[in-house]
Amino acid sequence: MADFSFRLAERIETSPLFRAALAQLQQRSLAPMMGDAVSKLEPLQAEKLSQAAVALSRSTDPRHLGLAQEIAYSLAACESNSDLRGVWRHVLAEIGNFPAGDYVSSGPLSDENLPWILRLRQAARRRENTVSVLGQEIVFTDFQADVWLGLHKHQFVNVSAPTSAGKSFLVQTFLLDELARSQRLQCVVYVVPSRSLIYEVQTSLTQALTRLSDKVVVSSVPRIDEELHASKHLVFVVTQERWQTIINEYDVVFDAVIVDEAQQIGEAERGILLQGCLEEALARSDLTKMLFITPSSKNAHTIAPLLGTENLQTIQSALRPVRQNLLFVTGGGKGSNRHLNVELYRGGQEPLALGKVVTKRSIAEAKRLITAALELGEEGQSIVYAWRPSAADSSAFALKKELPEVEDYKGSPLEELANFVAKHIHPDFALAQVLKHGIGIHYGRLPTTISKAVEEYFDDGHIKYLVCTSTLLQGVNLPARNIFLKNPRKGKAGPLQADEFWNLAGRAGRLKRDTHGNVFLVDYDEWEKKPVEEQQTTDVEPAICDALGAKQDVLLAFALNPEHASGDKDFALAESVFTRLFIDARDGVIEQTIARALTRHPNVDATALKDAIFAAQDLVSLPTSLLRRNKLVSPLRQQRLYDHFKRELAAGFLDSLIPVHPWQQYPDPRLRLEAVFRAIHTHLEGRETREEEFFGWFALAWMKGETLRNLIERQVKRVREERNPEEPEEKIVGSVARKIMEQVDTRLRYHYVKYLGCYLDILNFALEEAGLEGDMEIPPIPLFLELGASAKTMVSAMELGLSRIAAMEVANLLPREKDAAYIRGELQSPAFNRARLSYFVRREIERLGLLR
């Protein structure tokens, strides 16, 4: 039967009559995008296409299933009131896309026109995909049902599927079921690729686990509070850096580990860190369940050998749950004949011409992306891709020039958001300026409260155009009807790779809200890279495999140079792998590590590298346990800092080595911090610089909770004195604001947090060795620096999941020195005056389930 269904589908797909009918259907379903009204098909034509869709849906080939879905969605767009809606629902049910089937058949509907055998088959398919969680029946897609079964049967699971395939919903449902059924307390780690995603995942998990709210804590701060977390399941939502902190500080066993965007294991030093955390979790318990989630363009089965297992169950789906149209856009004509040409991409066939859109706007090459967005983005909401934050601001201002101010802006939600942005960033910041035109800007370094508000306003329809950077590639949930791209790049890394392109394109269209999504490729022939025709599914290349395989010469050169620096971006991978192998050599497992990593490169010889690693052992006396806490910093550089400490202690300079609490008045915290940074630069990093003079005060102000607005104002004043006084204010503010946010994100909250943690570990060891460990209390400066807070009430508020802005507002309403349990109680007290919080902070706290 399967062979017959496949052969029938093949005959249909290759039929010239079918292809002509499908092309006509696609053109009509996309007519509104071209400014035309939808015209219905002839009844007989709609019936024949529906019959073809039923036949195609019986095949097991993803290509045929995609065609069946395409027909059902396209017919639904053209024939919304047709009696055939029951057939389209059956087609979508047949391919396991029940949410889409329910959407296209919404409204009064009868299945009586379906043959009884089809009704019976459809009901059986739905039952197969239905599970019960806490008494509630949930209907999964075929893909979700496969993953659900895999998670219950296997310890290691790799899930690879397109964006909007329902991966997040499935994971949340699985955790709800697991924690509800568990007879003992569990600890779960959900690893996200960036800090910007922590709040989104934490809030969605908190809401998904609401029914267990008295039995579970969802936390993003790498601390375990005995009072706050007592007798509750603990779910950490963290980056790999924060996970390493948990591993360093607590002897906790992890029952389950979920790695979102698991392809990040291929990202230089962060990939090595993630691998180490995974291995440590398994070392603590060989029963730890692990789930690796990747987009459909990536297969993470390559992680299995690194973990010493062959039993990784891979579950893949290439079927996108929403119809996504790739549309080529070019410009043509002159003067009053200026127009945009639009063609629909059809794999294996010539593009389908959809027509021309006449425009009075410029179609010059530099302005064509904006013109395309304005002319073709009228239907639904649109995302315009920008390769970096400054380009996002520029594109937003270009859109602003072409769009009128939204009606009734005064007193509207958009004005409220613009005022909030002006208060917390700057009144002349691009986002504050463009919101009144229905335009938003989104990139990863925006404060969490603001970026979440932008996402919410876009989802609610207040924002029509959203200019985004590659934040979307890291899992931010921002689907839209239209996405516009022109030669897309990812910052300084160059053109988007094929997997990144498809991950981004997957944001077009929203399941249960759209019949389709459009990805507009502007001037595609001029792109540096042509991702559309490239292979979509590739194996994840773990960073350690890359370092020991293709890049071993760089690694060997690093290992042979005892004067190598630390923190050099060009050698980040070499440094992290060198440190890993150095520790493994001491533990006697270097042969195992190299053998596992070279599974993908069996012909590579690592003898010279091993010799260099063993030779370096004689240069380091620090204990392995200390080196293991700082896996991203070369042991040779750590030894240099330790030697410095020994000299300083011998000379009696104890106090000058120890940072003090940011709120301490004497000795001066800034001078101490500058001295610490100077030692980090000189001994750990191995470079001469005077950066501590800037980052000393900057880090101190950040830890003391100074607002981003004040930090920006201070720098704007300095820059204004140095630059041309006629330079536009918005240009100065934009440049300074982006720079400050970048420095907070990359320098304070990553670079210095990493090195301060290493500094304090080595200092504590040196003090202990000298018998001085009880003489000084050292505050947790790395934690203060990452959070941007050091007052106890504000830190405690952030332990509950609040962003820095929200924690600041809450802390201003409560006494100082209060812990998280006290704050939770106050927020949930009827006496708490929530009206004193800004609207966006209230929304944030409500999403976390902290306000009654």
Side-chain angles (χ1 to χ4, degrees):
M1 182 64 182
D3 288 342
F4 172 77
S5 298
F6 175 80
R7 290 197 305 271
L8 177 60
E10 283 281 282
R11 289 186 62 185
I12 292 172
E13 182 194 12
T14 56
S15 165
L17 289 176
F18 169 76
R19 290 192 170 188
L22 178 61
Q24 184 184 38
L25 173 63
Q26 290 170 323
Q27 286 176 320
R28 295 196 181 191
S29 68
L30 295 174
M33 178 189 73
M34 303 298 294
D36 300 323
V38 174
S39 57
K40 290 188 175 183
L41 297 175
E42 292 294 327
L44 183 59
Q45 189 86 317
E47 289 178 12
K48 287 184 175 180
L49 283 166
S50 298
Q51 291 169 355
V54 172
L56 289 163
S57 70
R58 297 293 179 86
S59 173
T60 55
D61 190 301
R63 189 177 70 259
H64 298 150
L65 300 181
L67 271 176
Q69 181 171 270
E70 170 90 0
I71 294 168
Y73 269 136
S74 298
L75 285 170
C78 295
E79 312 272 339
S80 59
N81 297 319
S82 172
D83 292 337
L84 294 171
R85 284 184 299 135
V87 178
W88 308 332
R89 179 168 70 174
H90 172 77
V91 168
L92 293 167
E94 191 67 26
I95 63 178
N97 194 347
F98 293 100
D102 293 340
Y103 171 71
V104 302
S105 61
S106 59
L109 178 68
S110 172
D111 287 337
E112 291 180 1
N113 59 338
L114 284 180
W116 69 269
I117 189 67
L118 295 187
R119 296 201 303 269
L120 186 64
R121 183 184 177 99
Q122 182 173 309
R125 292 280 282 110
R126 183 177 284 266
R127 281 197 301 271
E128 288 175 2
N129 286 25
T130 301
V131 300
S132 178
V133 177
L134 288 178
Q136 179 184 358
E137 287 197 345
I138 298 172
V139 182
F140 287 144
T141 64
D142 279 3
F143 161 72
Q144 291 173 324
D146 288 343
V147 177
W148 181 265
L149 183 62
L151 287 172
H152 284 87
K153 291 179 63 177
H154 302 278
Q155 180 182 1
F156 302 98
V157 177
N158 165 38
V159 171
S160 177
T163 306
S164 301
K167 299 185 291 287
S168 298
F169 171 75
L170 176 70
V171 170
Q172 294 165 9
T173 305
F174 173 74
L175 285 179
L176 176 64
D177 188 55
E178 282 285 289
L179 298 179
R181 292 174 181 272
S182 178
Q183 299 300 310
R184 60 180 180 80
L185 295 179
Q186 294 202 31
C187 180
V188 177
V189 173
Y190 195 122
V191 185
V192 296
S194 66
R195 270 191 306 272
S196 61
L197 275 176
I198 287 177
Y199 177 75
E200 176 176 333
V201 174
Q202 183 177 4
T203 51
S204 62
L205 269 178
T206 299
Q207 292 165 2
L209 301 176
T210 298
R211 297 170 70 184
L212 299 177
S213 58
D214 59 334
K215 299 177 182 177
V216 62
V217 171
V218 182
S219 175
S220 59
V221 177
R223 289 170 59 167
I224 297 179
D225 186 312
E226 292 185 3
E227 180 181 357
L228 188 66
H229 302 154
S231 302
K232 293 185 178 182
H233 300 296
L234 185 53
V235 179
F236 283 111
V237 180
V238 290
T239 58
Q240 50 263 58
E241 290 81 13
R242 293 191 185 186
W243 188 15
Q244 181 64 54
T245 299
I246 296 170
I247 288 172
N248 286 346
E249 303 301 329
Y250 304 101
D251 189 23
V252 60
V253 171
F254 305 102
D255 296 277
V257 174
I258 300 157
V259 184
D260 199 6
E261 304 291 331
Q263 68 272 17
Q264 63 183 298
I265 201 168
E267 295 179 1
E269 58 181 352
R270 300 191 75 224
I272 302 299
L273 184 61
L274 174 58
Q275 178 187 337
C277 291
L278 293 169
E279 292 168 329
E280 178 61 29
L282 287 173
R284 295 186 179 190
S285 171
D286 58 6
L287 298 177
T288 299
K289 185 183 289 289
M290 292 188 172
L291 170 63
F292 305 104
I293 304 172
T294 59
S296 60
S297 55
K298 289 290 187 181
N299 189 322
H301 70 92
T302 50
I303 296 175
L306 301 180
L307 303 179
T309 181
E310 297 179 355
N311 300 317
L312 188 148
Q313 177 74 12
T314 296
I315 303 170
Q316 289 183 282
S317 174
L319 185 64
R320 298 180 179 275
V322 177
R323 170 192 172 202
Q324 286 165 342
N325 307 302
L326 297 185
L327 299 149
F328 300 124
V329 180
T330 55
K334 295 181 180 180
S336 60
N337 292 321
R338 290 192 299 265
H339 60 266
L340 298 172
N341 299 303
V342 184
E343 296 177 310
L344 175 67
Y345 167 77
R346 300 183 295 174
Q349 301 180 64
E350 285 295 312
L352 176 66
L354 298 179
K356 299 178 181 179
V357 175
V358 177
T359 180
K360 295 181 180 180
R361 297 183 170 97
S362 171
I363 58 169
E365 191 272 337
K367 298 181 179 181
R368 203 168 296 156
L369 175 67
I370 299 303
T371 296
L374 292 165
E375 297 292 357
L376 299 169
E378 281 296 311
E379 186 196 17
Q381 293 163 281
S382 300
I383 286 174
V384 178
Y385 182 80
W387 70 286
R388 63 181 180 181
S390 60
D393 289 352
S394 297
S395 293
F397 278 124
L399 285 168
K400 174 178 177 284
K401 289 180 180 178
E402 299 288 336
L403 292 171
E405 186 174 313
V406 298
E407 294 183 12
D408 302 321
Y409 173 73
K410 291 296 182 182
S412 72
L414 284 173
E415 184 184 37
E416 189 171 21
L417 178 54
N419 291 338
F420 190 77
V421 173
K423 175 182 176 182
H424 289 283
I425 299 182
H426 198 280
D428 292 313
F429 185 61
L431 178 57
Q433 295 289 308
V434 301
L435 278 166
K436 66 174 61 178
H437 296 264
I439 303 165
I441 302 171
H442 190 287
Y443 38 81
R445 290 164 185 158
L446 289 173
T448 300
T449 307
I450 291 174
S451 61
K452 194 63 188 177
V454 170
E455 293 167 26
E456 187 175 284
Y457 272 37
F458 186 67
D459 191 55
D460 289 345
H462 297 304
I463 292 173
K464 182 174 178 59
Y465 288 96
L466 187 60
V467 188
C468 292
T469 61
S470 58
T471 303
L472 285 182
L473 300 176
Q474 298 180 328
V476 173
N477 185 26
L478 275 179
R481 170 63 68 85
N482 309 303
I483 296 179
F484 292 87
L485 305 100
K486 187 177 188 299
N487 195 22
R489 301 171 61 85
K490 187 180 179 183
K492 297 178 181 179
L496 290 186
Q497 299 302 308
D499 60 294
E500 294 171 327
F501 168 80
W502 287 107
N503 192 4
L504 180 60
R507 308 289 165 181
R510 294 168 289 189
L511 189 61
K512 296 190 290 186
R513 291 175 63 175
D514 287 323
T515 59
H516 64 278
N518 303 314
V519 185
F520 294 93
L521 314 180
V522 180
D523 295 334
Y524 182 74
D525 287 341
E526 307 300 322
W527 288 19
E528 295 176 68
K529 202 170 178 63
K530 305 291 192 298
V532 171
E533 296 289 357
E534 289 188 27
Q535 181 181 356
Q536 290 193 39
T537 303
T538 57
D539 290 343
V540 171
E541 176 77 343
I544 196 168
C545 301
D546 188 30
L548 285 167
K551 298 176 181 175
Q552 191 180 134
D553 56 336
V554 178
L555 176 56
L556 179 59
F558 186 88
L560 289 171
N561 176 17
E563 300 300 321
H564 58 231
S566 175
D568 188 322
K569 289 182 180 180
D570 293 335
F571 296 98
L573 177 58
E575 181 178 10
S576 55
V577 176
F578 171 77
T579 305
R580 166 64 192 266
L581 295 178
F582 188 99
I583 295 169
D584 286 349
R586 284 192 173 183
D587 291 340
V589 296
I590 188 172
E591 295 283 356
Q592 174 184 282
T593 299
I594 291 176
R596 288 178 174 179
L598 288 180
T599 302
R600 295 173 59 78
H601 304 277
N603 298 322
V604 173
D605 180 28
T607 303
L609 177 61
K610 285 186 288 186
D611 291 344
I613 297 292
F614 282 114
Q617 298 290 327
D618 297 333
L619 303 176
V620 179
S621 64
L622 290 170
T624 308
S625 59
L626 190 151
L627 301 178
R628 193 174 285 116
R629 290 174 61 89
N630 300 283
K631 298 176 181 178
L632 301 182
V633 182
S634 166
L636 275 61
R637 298 310 321 180
Q638 294 190 50
Q639 182 70 34
R640 297 292 178 89
L641 181 63
Y642 169 66
D643 293 341
H644 166 69
F645 286 155
K646 286 203 300 183
R647 291 191 297 269
E648 294 295 291
L649 290 174
F653 298 133
L654 170 62
D655 290 349
S656 63
L657 302 176
I658 300 175
V660 296
H661 197 284
W663 288 97
Q664 189 168 317
Q665 293 187 349
Y666 183 83
D668 187 342
R670 175 180 170 180
L671 293 179
R672 283 287 180 90
L673 203 55
E674 285 184 5
V676 170
F677 284 174
R678 191 175 304 114
I680 286 173
H681 297 153
T682 303
H683 304 291
L684 274 184
E685 295 184 76
R687 63 189 180 99
E688 294 299 323
T689 179
R690 297 178 62 180
E691 287 182 358
E692 64 272 7
E693 296 176 9
F694 171 76
F695 284 105
W697 78 261
F698 188 34
L700 183 63
W702 176 251
M703 288 190 289
K704 293 183 75 170
E706 188 164 338
T707 66
L708 193 61
R709 165 79 180 270
N710 287 346
L711 294 172
I712 292 170
E713 289 273 21
R714 193 179 303 187
Q715 288 301 99
V716 165
K717 182 179 179 181
R718 184 184 65 80
V719 171
R720 192 184 289 117
E721 293 171 352
E722 298 174 355
R723 289 192 185 178
N724 181 352
E726 297 182 1
E727 189 168 7
E729 186 73 4
E730 64 186 30
K731 186 173 181 180
I732 294 176
V733 169
S735 175
V736 169
R738 291 189 302 269
K739 183 66 174 177
I740 289 291
M741 288 188 285
E742 179 188 15
Q743 289 171 331
V744 166
D745 194 53
T746 61
R747 299 291 286 172
L748 298 189
R749 304 181 80 179
Y750 181 74
H751 182 86
Y752 283 115
V753 165
K754 176 178 77 172
Y755 283 109
L756 274 167
C758 183
Y759 177 98
L760 294 180
D761 283 342
I762 298 172
L763 177 60
N764 279 317
F765 174 74
L767 292 176
E768 183 178 344
E769 196 176 48
L772 300 171
E773 69 273 18
D775 290 7
M776 290 285 181
E777 182 178 348
I778 304 178
I781 298 294
L783 177 67
F784 293 164
L785 195 55
E786 183 172 4
L787 298 180
S790 54
K792 183 175 181 179
T793 300
M794 189 170 168
V795 171
S796 299
M798 296 180 80
E799 283 188 59
L800 295 173
L802 273 64
S803 68
R804 187 173 186 263
I805 288 175
M808 198 179 301
E809 284 200 18
V810 168
N812 288 338
L813 300 180
L814 297 174
R816 294 177 60 87
E817 303 300 309
K818 292 300 181 181
D819 60 20
Y822 174 87
I823 296 171
R824 180 191 289 273
E826 285 297 301
L827 290 174
Q828 296 190 344
S829 167
F832 181 74
N833 187 1
R834 64 166 64 197
R836 296 177 64 187
L837 299 173
S838 61
Y839 167 78
F840 299 101
V841 169
R842 288 200 306 273
R843 289 287 297 123
E844 179 179 322
I845 300 175
E846 286 168 358
R847 283 191 292 265
L848 288 168
L850 295 173
L851 273 181
R852 288 195 183 278

